[in-house]
């Protein structure tokens, strides 16, 4: 297991469309282990493989609250098979856009088909944070970032800020666990 570096905008790799996983082999299992180590360390509640530079359709997630036991979930080749017309708005964050949070409106409920780590096809119905997080991570596998769902003005401001920082070679301050607003937990 190894903690990997998380790509930060404007890294162009975040815009790649990831490739489907054809076989769940030792390489994929090692990737999943590294993704969990990276996600828990960040800390984050979700991670897509492209965020550590691997363009494969693999997503890890753990929506357990701090006071609950870990609840790791893996979604391989996830795809939305149904989305509700009803929408909900949630203040999202992204480990690839550190310290930036903005409200995003998405379908309130979705059904997602995916492979589990045994290669078995599964389908889940999701609402609430699970639905939001699944849509956010599936977007990553398609090269889409949550800032693509906000106003152009806000998107251009955040892109400008991170592009400037990258040009100056400024390190992005790692987020401490207690920096996360309480309403993002659980
Ligand atoms: O994909 C990512 O960049 C991870 C992202 C997932 C996400 C958060 C909120 C809405 C949709 C998707 C994060 O995990 S950002 C960090 C965060 O929200 C958080 C971190 C620690 C505890 C609780 C929340
Ligand atoms: Zn993200």
């Amino acid at each position: 297991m190894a903690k990997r570096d998380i790509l930060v905008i404007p890294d162009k790799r975040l815009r790649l469309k990831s490739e489907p996983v054809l076989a769940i082999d030792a390489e994929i299992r090692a990737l999943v282990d590294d993704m969990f180590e990276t996600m828990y360390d960040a800390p984050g509640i979700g991670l897509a493989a492209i965020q550590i530079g691997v363009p494969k359709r693999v997503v890890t997630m753990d929506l357990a609250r701090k006071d609950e036991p870990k609840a790791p979930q893996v979604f391989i080749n996830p795809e939305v098979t149904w989305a509700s017309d009803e929408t909900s708005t949630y203040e999202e964050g992204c480990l690839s856009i550190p310290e930036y949070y903005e409200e995003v409106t998405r379908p309130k409920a979705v059904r997602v088909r995916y492979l589990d780590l045994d290669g078995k096809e599964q389908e889940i119905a999701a609402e609430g944070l699970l639905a939001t997080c699944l849509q956010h991570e599936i977007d990553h596998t398609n090269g889409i970032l949550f800032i693509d769902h906000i106003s152009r003005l806000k998107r251009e401001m955040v892109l400008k800020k991170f592009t400037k920082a990258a040009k100056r070679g400024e390190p992005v301050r790692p987020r401490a666990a207690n920096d996360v607003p309480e309403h993002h937990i659980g």
Side-chain angles (χ1 to χ4, degrees):
M1 279 236 288
K3 183 173 75 114
R4 312 258 205 112
D5 289 338
I6 297 176
L7 306 184
V8 170
I9 59 165
D11 194 308
K12 287 192 170 61
R13 288 171 288 179
L14 289 166
R15 292 308 192 172
L16 291 175
K17 192 169 159 71
S18 295
E19 293 295 332
V21 171
L22 301 180
I24 299 166
D25 53 16
E27 192 190 324
I28 294 295
R29 282 190 285 273
L31 169 66
V32 166
D33 285 349
D34 287 358
M35 286 173 65
F36 275 119
E37 186 166 345
T38 306
M39 184 186 88
Y40 285 126
D41 177 78
I45 55 174
L47 193 73
I50 190 58
Q51 292 181 276
I52 57 166
V54 180
K56 290 187 196 295
R57 304 181 83 81
V58 178
V59 165
T60 54
M61 204 176 286
D62 190 333
L63 303 182
R65 291 164 180 269
K66 267 193 211 162
D67 56 351
E68 290 174 343
K70 280 185 178 175
Q73 290 179 278
V74 181
F75 302 91
I76 295 168
N77 300 341
E79 52 178 312
V80 174
T81 55
W82 172 83
S84 62
D85 291 333
E86 196 180 348
T87 58
S88 68
T89 301
Y90 189 85
E91 193 174 56
E92 298 191 16
C94 182
L95 297 174
S96 297
I97 313 174
E99 295 175 47
Y100 183 73
Y101 293 89
E102 192 53 72
E103 286 194 338
V104 176
T105 299
R106 300 182 184 269
K108 185 184 171 124
V110 287
R111 291 189 72 84
V112 171
R113 188 166 55 212
Y114 64 98
L115 298 178
D116 64 20
L117 261 185
D118 296 321
K120 200 168 162 230
E121 195 171 293
Q122 306 279 0
E123 190 165 36
I124 50 161
E127 271 193 22
L129 183 57
L130 177 61
T132 296
C133 202
L134 275 167
Q135 291 174 78
H136 178 115
E137 301 307 335
I138 292 170
D139 269 359
H140 272 303
T141 69
N142 291 318
I144 297 165
L145 300 169
F146 86 89
I147 53 171
D148 299 333
H149 296 288
I150 65 177
S151 75
R152 183 196 280 198
L153 181 67
K154 285 180 178 167
R155 180 169 57 253
E156 282 174 359
M157 275 169 65
V158 69
L159 277 169
K160 203 165 152 184
K161 182 182 148 199
F162 278 84
T163 303
K164 242 185 194 173
K167 277 191 185 137
R168 290 186 183 142
E170 285 173 5
V172 182
R173 187 177 74 87
R175 184 172 29 211
N178 59 6
D179 278 354
V180 178
E182 197 57 39
H183 66 276
H184 282 273
I185 299 170

Short mmCIF file of all heavy atoms in Angstrom, two decimals, residues 75 77-85 107-114 122-127 130-132 134-135 138:
data_model
loop_
_atom_site.label_atom_id
_atom_site.label_comp_id
_atom_site.label_asym_id
_atom_site.label_seq_id
_atom_site.Cartn_x
_atom_site.Cartn_y
_atom_site.Cartn_z
N PHE A 75 -16.31 1.08 -6.44
CA PHE A 75 -17.18 1.06 -7.62
C PHE A 75 -16.28 0.99 -8.85
O PHE A 75 -15.50 1.92 -9.10
CB PHE A 75 -18.04 2.32 -7.68
CG PHE A 75 -18.90 2.53 -6.45
CD1 PHE A 75 -18.42 3.27 -5.37
CD2 PHE A 75 -20.18 1.98 -6.37
CE1 PHE A 75 -19.20 3.47 -4.24
CE2 PHE A 75 -20.96 2.17 -5.23
CZ PHE A 75 -20.48 2.91 -4.16
N ASN A 77 -16.04 0.69 -12.99
CA ASN A 77 -16.85 1.00 -14.19
C ASN A 77 -18.25 1.49 -13.82
O ASN A 77 -19.26 1.02 -14.39
CB ASN A 77 -16.97 -0.23 -15.11
CG ASN A 77 -15.62 -0.72 -15.60
OD1 ASN A 77 -14.63 0.00 -15.56
ND2 ASN A 77 -15.58 -1.97 -16.06
N PRO A 78 -18.37 2.43 -12.86
CA PRO A 78 -19.71 2.86 -12.46
C PRO A 78 -20.40 3.68 -13.55
O PRO A 78 -19.75 4.48 -14.23
CB PRO A 78 -19.44 3.74 -11.22
CG PRO A 78 -18.07 4.29 -11.45
CD PRO A 78 -17.32 3.20 -12.19
N GLU A 79 -21.70 3.46 -13.71
CA GLU A 79 -22.46 4.29 -14.66
C GLU A 79 -23.86 4.54 -14.13
O GLU A 79 -24.47 3.65 -13.53
CB GLU A 79 -22.49 3.69 -16.06
CG GLU A 79 -22.95 2.27 -16.13
CD GLU A 79 -23.01 1.76 -17.56
OE1 GLU A 79 -23.56 2.45 -18.44
OE2 GLU A 79 -22.53 0.64 -17.80
N VAL A 80 -24.32 5.76 -14.35
CA VAL A 80 -25.67 6.12 -13.92
C VAL A 80 -26.66 5.51 -14.90
O VAL A 80 -26.57 5.74 -16.11
CB VAL A 80 -25.83 7.66 -13.87
CG1 VAL A 80 -27.27 8.05 -13.57
CG2 VAL A 80 -24.88 8.27 -12.83
N THR A 81 -27.59 4.69 -14.38
CA THR A 81 -28.59 4.05 -15.25
C THR A 81 -29.93 4.77 -15.19
O THR A 81 -30.80 4.57 -16.02
CB THR A 81 -28.79 2.57 -14.86
OG1 THR A 81 -29.11 2.52 -13.47
CG2 THR A 81 -27.55 1.76 -15.14
N TRP A 82 -30.11 5.58 -14.13
CA TRP A 82 -31.35 6.36 -13.99
C TRP A 82 -31.05 7.53 -13.06
O TRP A 82 -30.26 7.40 -12.11
CB TRP A 82 -32.46 5.49 -13.37
CG TRP A 82 -33.70 6.28 -13.04
CD1 TRP A 82 -34.71 6.61 -13.90
CD2 TRP A 82 -34.04 6.86 -11.77
NE1 TRP A 82 -35.66 7.37 -13.23
CE2 TRP A 82 -35.27 7.52 -11.92
CE3 TRP A 82 -33.41 6.86 -10.52
CZ2 TRP A 82 -35.89 8.20 -10.88
CZ3 TRP A 82 -34.02 7.53 -9.47
CH2 TRP A 82 -35.26 8.19 -9.65
N ALA A 83 -31.63 8.68 -13.37
CA ALA A 83 -31.48 9.86 -12.51
C ALA A 83 -32.85 10.50 -12.35
O ALA A 83 -33.63 10.59 -13.32
CB ALA A 83 -30.50 10.84 -13.14
N SER A 84 -33.15 10.95 -11.15
CA SER A 84 -34.46 11.57 -10.89
C SER A 84 -34.53 12.95 -11.55
O SER A 84 -33.51 13.61 -11.75
CB SER A 84 -34.67 11.71 -9.37
OG SER A 84 -33.69 12.56 -8.81
N ASP A 85 -35.76 13.38 -11.84
CA ASP A 85 -35.96 14.75 -12.32
C ASP A 85 -35.78 15.72 -11.17
O ASP A 85 -35.33 16.85 -11.34
CB ASP A 85 -37.36 14.93 -12.91
CG ASP A 85 -37.52 14.14 -14.21
OD1 ASP A 85 -36.49 13.93 -14.88
OD2 ASP A 85 -38.65 13.73 -14.52
N PRO A 107 -29.22 15.74 -9.85
CA PRO A 107 -30.37 14.88 -9.55
C PRO A 107 -30.30 14.40 -8.10
O PRO A 107 -29.23 14.04 -7.60
CB PRO A 107 -30.20 13.72 -10.53
CG PRO A 107 -29.49 14.34 -11.70
CD PRO A 107 -28.54 15.35 -11.09
N LYS A 108 -31.47 14.40 -7.44
CA LYS A 108 -31.52 14.05 -6.01
C LYS A 108 -31.27 12.55 -5.78
O LYS A 108 -30.70 12.15 -4.77
CB LYS A 108 -32.93 14.43 -5.51
CG LYS A 108 -33.15 14.26 -4.04
CD LYS A 108 -34.60 14.56 -3.70
CE LYS A 108 -34.85 14.17 -2.26
NZ LYS A 108 -35.35 15.15 -1.43
N ALA A 109 -31.72 11.73 -6.73
CA ALA A 109 -31.58 10.28 -6.60
C ALA A 109 -31.06 9.70 -7.92
O ALA A 109 -31.38 10.22 -9.00
CB ALA A 109 -32.92 9.65 -6.26
N VAL A 110 -30.24 8.68 -7.81
CA VAL A 110 -29.71 8.00 -9.01
C VAL A 110 -29.68 6.49 -8.77
O VAL A 110 -29.67 6.03 -7.62
CB VAL A 110 -28.27 8.46 -9.38
CG1 VAL A 110 -28.27 9.85 -9.95
CG2 VAL A 110 -27.31 8.34 -8.20
N ARG A 111 -29.66 5.74 -9.87
CA ARG A 111 -29.31 4.32 -9.81
C ARG A 111 -27.97 4.19 -10.52
O ARG A 111 -27.77 4.80 -11.60
CB ARG A 111 -30.37 3.45 -10.49
CG ARG A 111 -31.68 3.40 -9.73
CD ARG A 111 -32.63 2.36 -10.31
NE ARG A 111 -32.18 1.00 -10.01
CZ ARG A 111 -32.45 0.37 -8.86
NH1 ARG A 111 -33.17 0.97 -7.93
NH2 ARG A 111 -32.01 -0.84 -8.66
N VAL A 112 -27.07 3.43 -9.94
CA VAL A 112 -25.73 3.28 -10.51
C VAL A 112 -25.40 1.79 -10.63
O VAL A 112 -25.55 1.03 -9.69
CB VAL A 112 -24.68 3.99 -9.60
CG1 VAL A 112 -23.25 3.67 -10.05
CG2 VAL A 112 -24.90 5.50 -9.62
N ARG A 113 -24.97 1.41 -11.85
CA ARG A 113 -24.53 0.03 -12.09
C ARG A 113 -23.00 0.03 -12.06
O ARG A 113 -22.35 0.95 -12.56
CB ARG A 113 -25.04 -0.43 -13.46
CG ARG A 113 -24.79 -1.91 -13.72
CD ARG A 113 -25.59 -2.41 -14.89
NE ARG A 113 -25.31 -1.59 -16.08
CZ ARG A 113 -26.20 -1.35 -17.03
NH1 ARG A 113 -27.43 -1.81 -16.95
NH2 ARG A 113 -25.87 -0.62 -18.08
N TYR A 114 -22.41 -1.00 -11.48
CA TYR A 114 -20.96 -1.06 -11.35
C TYR A 114 -20.53 -2.49 -11.11
O TYR A 114 -21.37 -3.37 -10.87
CB TYR A 114 -20.49 -0.17 -10.18
CG TYR A 114 -20.98 -0.61 -8.82
CD1 TYR A 114 -20.17 -1.37 -7.97
CD2 TYR A 114 -22.28 -0.31 -8.39
CE1 TYR A 114 -20.62 -1.79 -6.72
CE2 TYR A 114 -22.74 -0.74 -7.15
CZ TYR A 114 -21.91 -1.46 -6.32
OH TYR A 114 -22.37 -1.89 -5.09
N GLN A 122 -23.32 -5.11 -9.98
CA GLN A 122 -24.21 -4.65 -8.91
C GLN A 122 -24.95 -3.42 -9.41
O GLN A 122 -24.49 -2.71 -10.30
CB GLN A 122 -23.40 -4.24 -7.66
CG GLN A 122 -22.45 -5.29 -7.14
CD GLN A 122 -23.15 -6.33 -6.28
OE1 GLN A 122 -24.36 -6.27 -6.07
NE2 GLN A 122 -22.41 -7.31 -5.80
N GLU A 123 -26.10 -3.14 -8.78
CA GLU A 123 -26.79 -1.87 -9.05
C GLU A 123 -27.32 -1.34 -7.72
O GLU A 123 -27.89 -2.11 -6.94
CB GLU A 123 -27.92 -2.04 -10.05
CG GLU A 123 -28.47 -0.68 -10.50
CD GLU A 123 -29.34 -0.76 -11.75
OE1 GLU A 123 -30.06 -1.75 -11.90
OE2 GLU A 123 -29.30 0.18 -12.55
N ILE A 124 -27.07 -0.05 -7.45
CA ILE A 124 -27.59 0.51 -6.20
C ILE A 124 -28.44 1.73 -6.50
O ILE A 124 -28.20 2.45 -7.47
CB ILE A 124 -26.49 0.94 -5.19
CG1 ILE A 124 -25.43 1.82 -5.85
CG2 ILE A 124 -25.88 -0.23 -4.48
CD1 ILE A 124 -24.66 2.60 -4.82
N ALA A 125 -29.40 1.93 -5.59
CA ALA A 125 -30.23 3.14 -5.64
C ALA A 125 -29.64 4.06 -4.58
O ALA A 125 -29.42 3.65 -3.43
CB ALA A 125 -31.67 2.79 -5.30
N ALA A 126 -29.34 5.30 -4.96
CA ALA A 126 -28.69 6.21 -4.03
C ALA A 126 -29.46 7.52 -3.92
O ALA A 126 -30.03 8.02 -4.90
CB ALA A 126 -27.27 6.50 -4.51
N GLU A 127 -29.45 8.04 -2.70
CA GLU A 127 -30.04 9.36 -2.41
C GLU A 127 -29.08 10.08 -1.48
O GLU A 127 -28.19 9.46 -0.91
CB GLU A 127 -31.37 9.19 -1.69
CG GLU A 127 -32.56 9.07 -2.60
CD GLU A 127 -33.88 9.22 -1.85
OE1 GLU A 127 -33.87 9.81 -0.75
OE2 GLU A 127 -34.87 8.74 -2.38
N LEU A 130 -24.72 9.95 -0.67
CA LEU A 130 -24.23 8.88 -1.56
C LEU A 130 -24.50 9.23 -3.03
O LEU A 130 -23.63 9.05 -3.88
CB LEU A 130 -24.88 7.54 -1.17
CG LEU A 130 -24.52 6.34 -2.05
CD1 LEU A 130 -23.02 6.06 -2.01
CD2 LEU A 130 -25.29 5.10 -1.61
N ALA A 131 -25.70 9.75 -3.30
CA ALA A 131 -26.04 10.12 -4.68
C ALA A 131 -25.13 11.26 -5.17
O ALA A 131 -24.62 11.23 -6.30
CB ALA A 131 -27.50 10.53 -4.77
N THR A 132 -24.91 12.25 -4.30
CA THR A 132 -24.06 13.39 -4.67
C THR A 132 -22.63 12.91 -4.95
O THR A 132 -22.02 13.26 -5.95
CB THR A 132 -24.05 14.42 -3.52
OG1 THR A 132 -25.37 14.92 -3.37
CG2 THR A 132 -23.11 15.56 -3.79
N LEU A 134 -21.48 9.85 -5.58
CA LEU A 134 -21.36 8.98 -6.76
C LEU A 134 -21.33 9.81 -8.04
O LEU A 134 -20.51 9.57 -8.93
CB LEU A 134 -22.53 8.00 -6.80
CG LEU A 134 -22.36 6.73 -5.97
CD1 LEU A 134 -23.70 6.00 -5.83
CD2 LEU A 134 -21.32 5.80 -6.60
N GLN A 135 -22.20 10.81 -8.13
CA GLN A 135 -22.23 11.64 -9.34
C GLN A 135 -20.93 12.44 -9.49
O GLN A 135 -20.40 12.57 -10.59
CB GLN A 135 -23.45 12.57 -9.32
CG GLN A 135 -24.76 11.80 -9.47
CD GLN A 135 -25.96 12.71 -9.30
OE1 GLN A 135 -26.33 13.44 -10.22
NE2 GLN A 135 -26.59 12.68 -8.13
N ILE A 138 -18.24 9.84 -10.56
CA ILE A 138 -18.46 9.39 -11.95
C ILE A 138 -18.08 10.52 -12.91
O ILE A 138 -17.48 10.28 -13.97
CB ILE A 138 -19.90 8.87 -12.15
CG1 ILE A 138 -20.09 7.57 -11.36
CG2 ILE A 138 -20.21 8.65 -13.64
CD1 ILE A 138 -21.53 7.06 -11.28
#
